[in-house]
Amino acid sequence: QVQLVESGGDLVQPGGSLRLSCAASGSIFSINAMGWYRRAPGNQRELVAVFTSGDATTYADSVKGRFTISRDNAKNTVYLQMNSLKPEDTAVYYCYAAVKRYIGGFVNNYWGQGTQVTVSS
């Protein structure tokens, strides 16, 4: 199996910064995509930022210029640096990874348990 463990969620004031981390472990041959989604109360889960094939990245329009996704391939870890946080960024942030567990295997999607980010004064 594959486990995704997130950390870094917290309560922060508007304009503040946070850094989320997500480490993937378990039976991993390759990671095809990895990144972050979020779900605010009453809303659907939405993409925040994700690495796709190669080093390509995709960001939600609402976070462009404020959030930066990065990764350490040797550690199967992805980070989300969040700056200039706004109250509307308040949500549970979920790590996502599309993983191939062995050569010739299918790619399966995995999710972390979520970490709460609250932006409030």
Side-chain angles (χ1 to χ4, degrees):
Q1 273 292 356
V2 175
Q3 297 81 38
L4 302 179
V5 179
E6 303 121 327
S7 61
D10 206 343
L11 170 64
V12 63
Q13 292 188 343
S17 298
L18 280 176
R19 188 190 194 212
L20 305 183
S21 300
C22 173
S25 62
S27 178
I28 298 172
F29 171 71
S30 65
I31 298 178
N32 288 28
M34 193 169 182
W36 298 91
Y37 285 70
R38 67 185 180 187
R39 182 168 62 206
N43 289 357
Q44 302 262 6
R45 185 157 54 188
E46 62 175 359
L47 181 145
V48 177
V50 65
F51 280 104
T52 54
S53 59
D55 290 329
T57 55
T58 299
Y59 289 91
D61 288 342
S62 60
V63 306
K64 285 180 180 177
R66 300 189 298 122
F67 292 10
T68 303
I69 190 170
S70 61
R71 65 186 178 185
D72 184 334
N73 290 332
K75 297 180 179 179
N76 288 334
T77 298
V78 66
Y79 306 95
L80 185 67
Q81 178 66 44
M82 304 186 293
N83 297 330
S84 302
L85 282 160
K86 305 174 181 180
E88 50 263 45
D89 295 316
T90 295
V92 178
Y93 284 70
Y94 295 91
C95 182
Y96 159 80
V99 177
K100 183 179 289 187
R101 294 176 59 196
Y102 49 85
I103 298 175
F106 293 105
V107 176
N108 293 307
N109 296 325
Y110 295 90
W111 295 91
Q113 79 285 355
T115 185
Q116 178 70 48
V117 172
T118 302
V119 184
S120 175
S121 55

